[in-house]
Amino acid sequence: MNVLAYLIPISLLLGGLGLVGFIYTLRSRQYEDPEGDARRILSSDWDDKPRSD
Amino acid sequence: MTATTTSNLVACPGCLARPTQDIEAVLPDAKRALSLPTIHCQACISKVENALLAHVGVRAARVNLTRKRVMIDAAPDVTAPELAALVIAAGFEAHELDPGALSQTQTDAAGRDLLMRLAVAGFAAMNVMLLSIAVWSGATDATRDMFHWISAAITLPVLAFSAQPFFRNAWAALRAGKLNMDVPITLAIALAVITSLWETGLSGEHAYFDAALALTFFLLAGRWLDARARSAARSAAEELTALEVPRALKVIAGSPEEVSVSALVVGDVILVRPGARAPLDGKIIEGTSEVDRSALTGETLPVLRRPGALMSAGEVNLTGPLMLEATAVGTDTSLHQLAALVAVAESGRSRYTSLADRAAKLYAPGVHILSALAFLGWLIWSGDMRVSLNIAAAVLIITCPCALGLAVPAVTTAASGRLFGKGLLIKNATALERLAEVDMVVFDKTGTVTMGTPELINWDSLSDRQKSIAYGLARGSAHPLSKAVVTCAEAAGVAPISGLGRLRENPGYGSEGALSDHRVRLGRPEWIGIDAEDAGLCAALECGPGERTLLYFADRIRPGVTDLVADLRARGIDMALLSGDRSPSVAQMAEALGIETYAADMLPAEKVSYIHDLAQTGRKILMVGDGLNDTGALAAAHVSISPAQALDAARAASDIVLLGQDLSPVADALATARLATKRISENFTIATIYNIIAVPLAVAGLATPLIAALAMSTSSLTVSLNALRIGGRR
């Protein structure tokens, strides 16, 4: 059962990573335009280089 | 669901928009917003953005497809109409929005805050649940204790953060000496954590950390759904407001210049063009014109205004340009004085307690008494403080209004989503519940059951010559009656009379021209010399010396009204028609629609007292109105609906805004509201049944954390699924 000493922190860390990722997306306002963002990926406008602004 | 609801929302603002005067003016704000009702795909996004970025003054342009608008960062000398023209040239519909009216950020921040708490609670609930499953499957001794301690370490900080909204609401309610849903929630969470910590400290078997977190998670989900549905409706309502850009033409050194209405002061001279709405109260110093007062009074007949007369904010100038000297601006205008009436009327409505609050009133004391009794009972019977506290916590957790917290928001979200699809914006959280109770509908006449655009009714009785003369004279005028003549003539395929010369429009009187040395005129009956005192809405036509006839007009009925009236009658709902218009035309309209009760010549305050008197007798009234004169009545009624074409003040005073021209969705709204209330009470029943099964177990001391978790999750799921049935049935 000693393996628990590693597994529990690891599982918490991984879950926490997901949480931090979600909070980052929320903070950087990535849910403002879900429909638009889903569509933008289909356009080839900025495929060669990222937009500068 | 987000996708479907938001895409429907923009269908109408586009057709409502009246382009503002295309005046080149410098406005100080650099942020511009355009509404783009027709965009729908990635190609539209890049076309619009590229079209805008091609302009040298544009620094950045970002399309938001969800809200169907584009935010533009541009140099100060680039005007919004200029940018709109660029987008229109690229093949899209574009309307200018007032960025100041788009104050979405505040509601968004509240929603984001809830979502953050929800995410943290979800993360913690999942982890603690995993640990708990290990305990339930038979972990013992040191392993169990360790799992419990880890759970506690996760639970305590997470609850301190995520459950804050409940703690705050509960505290506010308790301080006001009341009980709401948040009080038992807070108590359950606190008691669960305390007993679990105690149990863990004594190496006990049962800990409720997972239950406390799951409870927080489900309840936050309900709150978030609620916040989101309201923010979507509010954003759409804001967009309607933002479409009315508050600009005025200020006359500076003899030439008109476009300025923001808020910059005007008393004594400024402004130009009100034909077709424009007066932005402030003022005295006419130059020009003669007819004025449409229907938004303020409900009168359909335009009024003649000469220099020296007063014009109130909200009145529409019809024929000739008018110069106004401002006598009152901003909150001093007569338009804003109506707002005081709204405030008074609204104070009556705030007494409404929502279904959730009523349930909480029954529920909260019951839960507290039950858990206190269980605690006392066990304490007396066993004398063991620890066991008794455990039982009390179990009772509180199991009875905690987890499903009840979801019962209402899940249903209202599903129902507003469905009504959104039909073009109804539910602005107020309890509007649906109140709508379901309605047993009487009161309509305003002008602009609500009628379109506010007149229609010629005695066209067929005119001779062909009269028809073509009338058409020839009416063609050049922007007056609504002339437009009605033109519509009629074009529909009938009549050609305008040839040889009509010296055509000119006398503002405030009518159009005249010369036809083979005779004077021909179309205009006000008094001007032409016919006495038409009681004829209602009419114009006179003179086709030669002595050849005079009257043209009668009637206001066009809004589409869907007859269906709506028939539908309401079939449901046994009483109806009444209120109007500030004159008696004959109101009576005529009431008869045409088959509404027996009507009242004419009503002042705004009389409308309010009419509604009040009916409400005193216990009637639940739905007010449907659009004018500024209705705002008080809209606020005084049990629930109110206004069409999107209504003025901002009327839309602000009503609970529900109807997009589109058709009034028949009101019947759908009633049906959906009743269905929603039925679902809500079903949900309450489901939650109660779960409690009836689980509470005896808890009181008997048989409830384990596993049973609590099962009861809580299944009841929450059942309730949410039951709520979703509303959205599914189309």
Side-chain angles (χ1 to χ4, degrees):
Chain A
M1 289 295 257
N2 286 337
V3 72
L4 284 177
Y6 305 105
L7 285 182
I8 290 173
I10 289 175
S11 79
L12 282 178
L13 194 77
L14 288 176
L17 219 59
L19 180 67
V20 169
F22 178 76
I23 291 174
Y24 163 72
T25 60
L26 198 64
R27 281 267 166 91
S28 57
R29 302 180 163 241
Q30 296 189 25
Y31 301 95
E32 302 270 286
D33 182 17
E35 216 176 309
D37 292 337
R39 300 272 189 174
R40 268 172 205 276
I41 200 165
L42 299 173
S43 107
S44 54
D45 269 2
W46 303 96
D47 279 2
D48 41 351
K49 61 176 174 57
R51 195 160 161 171
S52 51
D53 55 45
Chain B
M1 201 177 62
T2 335
T4 50
T5 50
T6 37
S7 60
N8 281 318
L9 144 191
V10 193
C12 212
C15 55
L16 301 169
R18 304 276 175 277
T20 43
Q21 280 87 8
D22 44 354
I23 288 293
E24 300 296 321
V26 183
L27 289 165
D29 51 335
K31 265 273 186 225
R32 313 265 190 283
L34 297 177
S35 165
L36 308 166
T38 54
I39 57 164
H40 61 275
C41 67
Q42 67 281 0
C44 309
I45 297 179
S46 29
K47 269 191 214 158
V48 170
E49 286 183 354
N50 290 334
L52 287 167
L53 288 170
H55 191 290
V56 278
V58 176
R59 279 192 289 273
R62 177 88 186 178
V63 171
N64 186 327
L65 187 65
T66 315
R67 299 203 192 284
K68 306 226 175 192
R69 63 173 76 129
V70 57
M71 297 300 290
I72 305 154
D73 215 352
D77 60 330
V78 182
T79 63
E82 192 182 335
L83 295 171
L86 282 176
V87 177
I88 292 165
F92 299 97
E93 206 179 311
H95 305 285
E96 187 186 348
L97 290 172
D98 178 16
L102 298 171
S103 62
Q104 190 57 35
T105 44
Q106 213 181 2
T107 48
D108 267 2
R112 268 210 306 278
D113 180 63
L114 273 177
L115 192 57
M116 180 93 79
R117 291 181 203 278
L118 182 67
V120 172
F123 155 80
M126 278 190 285
N127 281 294
V128 172
M129 190 57 81
L130 277 179
L131 294 167
S132 302
I133 286 172
V135 175
W136 299 335
S137 1
T140 49
D141 307 324
T143 321
R144 187 175 65 198
D145 284 348
M146 182 181 71
F147 280 8
H148 279 169
W149 279 120
I150 296 174
S151 302
I154 300 173
T155 308
L156 290 175
V158 166
L159 282 182
F161 171 68
S162 291
Q164 262 177 34
F166 307 119
F167 299 159
R168 248 182 268 133
N169 284 346
W171 174 237
L174 284 178
R175 231 179 3 185
K178 282 190 289 189
L179 278 180
N180 62 6
M181 283 279 193
D182 290 322
V183 178
I185 292 169
T186 305
L187 201 65
I189 292 175
L191 204 55
V193 169
I194 291 167
T195 54
S196 304
L197 278 176
W198 193 2
E199 279 292 296
T200 309
L202 298 171
S203 310
E205 200 183 335
H206 297 318
Y208 288 101
F209 293 118
D210 65 295
L213 280 172
L215 194 68
T216 315
F217 177 72
F218 284 127
L219 290 167
L220 278 173
R223 296 286 152 98
W224 179 66
L225 278 180
D226 213 30
R228 213 188 52 155
R230 248 177 299 162
S231 130
R234 207 171 302 155
S235 124
E238 261 177 14
E239 173 139 344
L240 288 176
T241 309
L243 278 169
E244 293 164 7
V245 183
R247 300 245 174 94
L249 294 170
K250 183 177 171 184
V251 181
I252 300 166
S255 62
E257 202 166 297
E258 199 176 54
V259 296
S260 162
V261 168
S262 53
L264 293 172
V265 293
V266 171
D268 277 351
V269 176
I270 58 157
L271 173 67
V272 182
R273 297 198 163 167
R277 201 175 280 283
L280 39 66
D281 289 359
K283 197 172 79 176
I284 298 172
I285 51 173
E286 202 183 311
T288 303
S289 176
E290 277 178 302
V291 171
D292 178 3
R293 309 186 66 212
S294 61
L296 285 166
T297 62
E299 300 168 53
T300 30
L301 211 58
V303 184
L304 180 65
R305 286 286 162 82
R306 289 196 184 84
L310 292 173
M311 191 162 171
S312 314
E315 295 181 345
V316 179
N317 181 15
L318 290 177
T319 39
L322 288 176
M323 296 282 218
L324 286 188
E325 188 188 295
T327 55
V329 294
T331 50
D332 299 329
T333 59
S334 50
L335 210 151
H336 274 268
Q337 277 156 22
L338 284 165
L341 201 60
V342 175
V344 172
E346 248 170 5
S347 63
R349 186 197 279 168
S350 59
R351 283 197 296 271
Y352 179 80
T353 37
S354 70
L355 280 176
D357 285 345
R358 265 181 277 169
K361 233 182 232 166
L362 283 176
Y363 199 81
V367 169
H368 294 150
I369 291 166
L370 192 66
S371 112
L373 283 180
F375 176 74
L376 284 177
W378 275 87
L379 194 63
I380 292 163
W381 187 70
S382 69
D384 188 344
M385 185 70 177
R386 181 177 152 197
V387 173
S388 322
L389 204 59
N390 246 318
I391 303 274
V395 170
L396 262 185
I397 288 172
I398 284 192
T399 54
C400 198
C402 191
L404 290 186
L406 275 172
V408 178
V411 171
T412 35
T413 308
S416 359
R418 180 186 167 153
L419 289 176
F420 227 9
K422 298 193 179 206
L424 286 147
L425 301 178
I426 315 292
K427 282 171 51 199
N428 191 297
T430 58
L432 276 174
E433 293 171 20
R434 284 183 275 132
L435 190 59
E437 294 175 355
V438 160
D439 58 5
M440 179 165 186
V441 181
V442 174
F443 293 101
D444 166 52
K445 185 180 82 73
T446 319
T448 306
V449 298
T450 67
M451 294 293 288
T453 48
E455 199 176 37
L456 183 53
I457 45 179
N458 64 337
W459 176 255
D460 291 330
S461 66
L462 300 178
S463 71
D464 285 347
R465 182 164 170 271
Q466 282 172 325
K467 282 179 187 174
S468 51
I469 291 175
Y471 183 28
L473 286 168
R475 262 200 313 173
S477 165
H479 194 280
L481 296 188
S482 297
K483 282 187 182 162
V485 171
V486 172
T487 315
C488 241
E490 279 171 357
V494 173
I497 192 110
S498 55
L500 188 66
R502 297 210 303 276
L503 187 67
R504 68 192 184 95
E505 192 172 3
N506 298 319
Y509 297 97
S511 308
E512 67 176 317
L515 188 65
S516 56
D517 294 336
H518 292 309
R519 187 156 76 139
V520 291
R521 294 188 289 179
L522 175 69
R524 294 181 80 87
E526 308 88 274
W527 178 54
I528 297 194
I530 301 184
D531 177 40
E533 203 44 47
D534 291 320
L537 196 55
C538 63
L541 175 69
E542 186 182 41
C543 298
E547 279 182 73
R548 292 167 188 159
T549 128
L550 274 178
L551 304 181
Y552 295 96
F553 296 85
D555 215 348
R556 195 149 57 93
I557 296 185
R558 190 180 276 274
V561 172
T562 33
D563 290 347
L564 176 63
V565 168
D567 194 280
L568 291 176
R569 185 169 302 120
R571 285 167 198 269
I573 294 173
D574 291 332
M575 282 165 284
L577 190 67
L578 292 191
S579 182
D581 207 355
R582 293 177 306 166
S583 195
S585 56
V586 181
Q588 201 185 349
M589 183 56 65
E591 197 186 339
L593 289 173
I595 299 175
E596 285 92 22
T597 325
Y598 67 87
D601 295 314
M602 299 283 269
L603 294 173
E606 288 174 338
K607 285 194 180 187
V608 176
S609 57
Y610 185 93
I611 303 260
H612 265 309
D613 292 346
L614 279 171
Q616 289 295 318
T617 64
R619 304 305 295 263
K620 305 279 186 210
I621 296 162
L622 163 64
M623 173 81 201
V624 188
D626 79 310
L628 293 168
N629 56 337
D630 301 319
T631 46
L634 286 169
H638 195 54
V639 59
S640 49
I641 299 182
S642 64
Q645 293 86 343
L647 291 177
D648 193 30
R651 286 200 309 263
S654 55
D655 301 302
I656 299 171
V657 173
L658 182 64
L659 301 174
Q661 303 270 327
D662 199 326
L663 212 57
S664 56
V666 173
D668 288 325
L670 271 174
T672 309
R674 292 199 170 165
L675 193 63
T677 317
K678 204 175 121 205
R679 289 276 177 276
I680 289 175
S681 46
E682 270 173 24
N683 277 351
F684 283 149
T685 317
I686 292 173
T688 315
I689 290 173
Y690 274 102
N691 281 338
I692 290 172
I693 297 169
V695 166
L697 289 178
V699 174
L702 297 173
T704 58
L706 177 60
I707 291 181
L710 279 179
M712 195 148 56
S713 319
T714 31
S715 66
S716 297
L717 275 179
T718 332
V719 161
S720 315
L721 289 177
N722 187 41
L724 286 178
R725 288 201 295 150
I726 286 189
R729 204 193 288 171
R730 299 268 158 180

